[in-house]
Amino acid sequence: MSADVNEKNLLINETNDSENYSLISDKICDPCDPANALPKYQLEKKERIMKGPFCPILEVYPRSKFGNTLRSFNKSWYLSFDWLEYSPKLDRAFCFPCRMFVTSSGLNAGYTDLAFTQVGFKNWNNATSKFKMHQNTKNHSHNVKAHSDFLNGKSINIVLDDCKTLLISQKEKQRQNNRSIMRRLIDVTLCLAKSGKPFRGHHENMSSVSKGLFLDFIDVLKKYDNVLENHLEKGALNAKYLSNRIQNDLLTCINNVMKRTIQSKIKNRTVSIMADETSDVGHHEQMSVIIRYFDEEKCQPIEYFIGLQRLLSVTSEAIFNSLSIQISNLNIEWKSVIAVCFDGASAMSGKFNGVQAKVKELNPNISYVHCYGHCLNLVLVDCLGSKNRVIFDFFGCVQLIYSFIEGSPSRHAVLERIVQETNIKLKTLKSLSTTRWACRSESVSAIENNYNSLLQCLKEISETTTQPDVRVQANGIIYQMKSYNFIFALYVMKPLLAQIQIVSAKLQTSNLNLLSAVTIVQALKKSLISLRSDEDEYSRLYNKVLDVCNAYQIEIPNVKHRRVSNKIDNNHTQHFSLDKKSEMKTTVYYVVLDDLFNGLENRFSQETLNLINSISCMMQHKIESLDIDILTKKFDLHRDEFEGELRLIRAIPDFEGGTSNNTIHKWLEKLSTLGNFINVQKTLKLFTTIPVTTCSCERAFSKLSLVKTKLRSQMKQNRLDSLMMIFVEQELASQINPDDIIDEFKSMYPATRRLEL
């Protein structure tokens, strides 16, 4: 049915009664008959249907008596009220939008003004005021809007398409808003995890003052961030994403993304594996696993922490299985592993049933490296054994001094006060440890620097204490510290331990290679040999001991004159000393140096020694046929091409000989620029990939003690592994894309995520 017919059906049928009207036009314009409209009211089809000619143009309208005055409809009202229409048949006025759209909007339908929609308005006496009153009603405004929307509307197909586009746009806008919320939660998670801080609090309800760092962090951010504030204040209560489960999911997602990043970096590369174990505060045996590979962009070896694995058993079989699981998660196969580095425990280093033996069953070309840091520490522990009583007693006294002073805050306060009074900088006392490799040098250095202050402190404690056992201990330590043997051991061990500390620090660098490690160990051995053969050095050392003894009135004991034994087993030596200087040199000084040297010789004689010597000869342009055989077999090289490349390198002046780490790095940079020396470049890349120490594992254990504390001892292993990954590899965690984490979070449990991501 056409719009014209509809409009005629809605309006009251009227007929033009020319007898009752005085016309000024040839046609009467009736709203019931749009076809009779005057030319000035001819509109386009849609507007003509809905608005039409509102009235006939009449010169004289029917008059009605109001009081003593005859009044009629006034055509000037059309100019003031464009919604007005007039029916000549009924002599009444109507509101066109209200009459046509009275029920279209559904708003205020019960407040429809019948006078302007059905009955008609005829109170010409108060017409203007009534028109204004009707024009200001909400119902009229809604109908006018519906009229305007209809005139400006589109076809149903276009409307549906627009609605669909709007819906998609709104949905995408909400999704992007949800992702922005997740980015904020991820940033908070990364910030806390990278610093090793605890996430949760003891009470996390809304009334709690301290809800834990994670929730407190969120509360601070929402004060300055409208996106987060709207999410927390107006978002769904079951989709806040602040629970401990969401924290675990976020940590797991970050861990997964980081491991995928590492996996992409080491894809199709030869790697080395380092592993070590320790027990955490929860009495769980934890194994830290590190991988090492050569990075082409940085032109140096890179190490990455790949996980913390709990060991339910410390047998070689259990350790090997756990290690295999860790590397398989990164798609690493044992055939792509060139070396493994462990400590000297039998379960790890056993040649027949240890982890290294099981690894070599799968890949015989894998080299086993006994951690050089552990080797050096074992050398130091061995030489300080009970065989040399003077040194043995000395370190016992050093540990006793630390325990006595630092075991009581009041005694430590006495030492601090005395140091301040003497204007000497206090060097903190250190405890001896069998695992901290540099602690012995620091302990001895602290005793030597604070020697005078320690004596005054012990004397004051002895005189002022009310506890008899404390007085006895203080007097006993004073007696030991003012003994000749203590002073001699102090000045003998200080320079030796200083050298060992330098070597130990060098061995703990992450980009160190075996050649540089062996070079510095060889330098330490040469230094020990020179000390043993240099009489002047010993004389200077002994004179310093005498000066200290004289300054503190320490008695120098006489030499014991032994008679020659009749039987071989009556005495350990037939050597007799004429003075105390030669006696201490023979019985203490030489013994310490010999023990250190022999320990270095034995502990560092590993299976990689021949490989290291061959690389050293190559770097110094002194390589021989046997060295070429070793390198060719180890690194799977083409022998003829390898020899030809070495001959060319000797003829190029840029390749200077040397064995330092810097020299190898320069060679690699030049080889990458030239691009033709494939075999030599491969040799150096794979050689630098072989690890020297498990120090990276030890550093991970240091961070483990910060993450899993007594207050966090019930932490689950998955959460601990994720936190350790972020805490250890902070640089890598800072580089990952938050959108990758969100995608991982979305795909973890896609059916249960309440926020559209």
Side-chain angles (χ1 to χ4, degrees), residues 486-752:
F486 183 89
I487 300 298
F488 184 85
L490 177 64
Y491 285 94
V492 165
M493 293 308 301
K494 182 183 177 182
L496 293 178
L497 293 174
Q499 295 182 61
I500 293 174
Q501 184 182 20
I502 295 172
V503 175
S504 177
K506 179 66 176 178
L507 292 178
Q508 295 178 50
T509 54
S510 59
N511 61 346
L512 186 68
N513 59 73
L514 284 173
L515 182 57
S516 300
V518 170
T519 301
I520 194 170
V521 172
Q522 294 289 347
L524 178 59
K525 290 195 289 187
K526 291 179 180 179
S527 176
L528 296 177
I529 294 174
S530 65
L531 287 175
R532 198 182 193 286
S533 60
D534 191 350
E535 293 292 337
D536 294 336
E537 180 66 26
Y538 177 74
S539 297
R540 286 193 292 271
L541 183 149
Y542 191 77
N543 291 333
K544 187 181 295 185
V545 173
L546 293 179
D547 292 340
V548 174
C549 291
N550 293 330
Y552 291 95
Q553 299 178 355
I554 298 174
E555 181 182 358
I556 301 175
N558 296 323
V559 179
K560 292 183 179 180
H561 296 285
R562 300 183 181 90
R563 67 180 181 85
V564 179
S565 59
N566 295 327
K567 297 180 181 180
I568 297 177
D569 56 352
N570 280 358
N571 199 352
H572 295 289
T573 179
Q574 296 291 340
H575 180 77
F576 294 94
S577 302
L578 299 177
D579 55 6
K580 197 65 178 177
K581 178 180 179 181
S582 60
E583 180 186 31
M584 297 301 289
K585 180 174 68 173
T586 304
T587 59
V588 179
Y589 187 66
Y590 282 171
V591 173
V592 172
L593 295 177
D594 292 343
D595 288 344
L596 285 174
F597 183 83
N598 293 331
L600 293 174
E601 283 286 334
N602 296 330
R603 294 287 183 180
F604 288 93
S605 296
Q606 302 186 23
E607 63 180 63
T608 56
L609 192 58
N610 292 332
L611 175 64
I612 297 170
N613 292 332
S614 299
I615 292 291
S616 176
C617 293
M618 184 187 78
M619 296 298 298
Q620 299 181 66
H621 304 299
K622 299 177 181 179
I623 193 167
E624 298 179 357
S625 179
L626 180 61
D627 299 323
I628 294 177
D629 292 338
I630 293 174
L631 297 178
T632 301
K633 181 180 179 181
K634 177 64 179 177
F635 301 122
D636 191 20
L637 308 175
H638 192 282
R639 181 184 175 90
D640 295 336
E641 294 180 358
F642 184 49
E643 287 184 298
E645 293 175 7
L646 291 176
R647 292 191 187 96
L648 290 174
I649 286 176
R650 282 197 293 268
I652 300 176
D654 292 340
F655 289 91
E656 299 178 357
T659 59
S660 66
N661 196 44
N662 189 33
T663 303
I664 295 179
H665 184 69
K666 289 181 178 179
W667 274 44
L668 286 168
E669 287 184 341
K670 295 182 186 300
L671 290 171
S672 62
T673 303
L674 296 175
N676 294 325
F677 299 88
I678 300 175
N679 291 277
V680 176
Q681 189 176 16
K682 179 181 179 182
T683 300
L684 292 179
K685 286 181 179 179
L686 294 179
F687 178 74
T688 54
T689 303
I690 300 176
V692 178
T693 66
T694 58
C695 294
S696 297
C697 298
E698 300 290 343
R699 283 188 280 267
F701 293 151
S702 298
K703 293 193 173 183
L704 173 62
S705 62
L706 299 177
V707 173
K708 192 171 184 179
T709 60
K710 290 182 179 180
L711 297 179
R712 306 166 75 184
S713 61
Q714 300 299 317
M715 187 186 305
K716 298 297 182 181
Q717 186 66 28
N718 290 337
R719 183 182 178 98
L720 176 62
D721 183 33
S722 301
L723 286 172
M724 283 293 297
M725 187 69 182
I726 302 171
F727 192 24
V728 175
E729 296 297 339
Q730 298 177 3
E731 182 178 356
L732 181 62
S734 302
Q735 295 173 354
I736 59 178
N737 189 355
D739 289 332
D740 295 338
I741 302 174
I742 296 174
D743 293 337
E744 178 73 15
F745 181 81
K746 178 176 65 175
S747 62
M748 181 179 291
Y749 303 108
T752 59

Side-chain angles (χ1 to χ4, degrees), residues 58 83 100 206 317 494 690 739:
L58 304 176
W83 46 266
M100 299 299 294
M206 298 302 296
E317 185 71 25
K494 182 183 177 182
I690 300 176
D739 289 332

Side-chain angles (χ1 to χ4, degrees), residues 249-374:
D249 289 348
L250 288 176
L251 291 171
T252 302
C253 292
I254 296 172
N255 186 17
N256 294 341
V257 172
M258 292 178 67
K259 286 185 177 179
R260 281 204 301 269
T261 304
I262 296 175
Q263 182 179 341
S264 64
K265 291 178 180 291
I266 63 175
K267 186 178 182 180
N268 299 326
R269 294 181 184 271
T270 302
V271 301
S272 294
I273 307 295
M274 294 166 282
D276 201 358
E277 312 94 43
T278 189
S279 58
D280 59 25
V281 70
H283 304 289
H284 295 166
E285 190 73 15
Q286 303 284 358
M287 180 175 67
S288 172
V289 183
I290 307 288
I291 63 167
R292 179 184 175 104
Y293 74 99
F294 187 86
D295 189 279
E296 302 286 349
E297 297 180 356
K298 297 181 179 180
C299 200
Q300 65 180 15
I302 302 296
E303 295 179 357
Y304 278 120
F305 173 83
I306 64 172
L308 198 68
Q309 182 78 24
R310 182 185 175 185
L311 299 176
L312 301 178
S313 174
V314 291
T315 62
S316 60
E317 185 71 25
I319 296 174
F320 173 74
N321 292 335
S322 298
L323 192 59
S324 299
I325 292 173
Q326 281 286 351
I327 66 173
S328 64
N329 291 335
L330 297 178
N331 293 333
I332 301 175
E333 298 180 356
W334 285 112
K335 65 180 182 181
S336 62
V337 177
I338 190 174
V340 292
C341 184
F342 308 133
D343 58 17
S346 59
M348 304 295 290
S349 62
K351 294 183 179 179
F352 301 104
N353 198 32
V355 176
Q356 72 142 323
K358 296 182 181 300
V359 167
K360 289 183 177 180
E361 289 178 1
L362 301 177
N363 184 1
N365 198 39
I366 292 179
S367 299
Y368 164 66
V369 178
H370 184 186
C371 172
Y372 276 43
H374 282 91

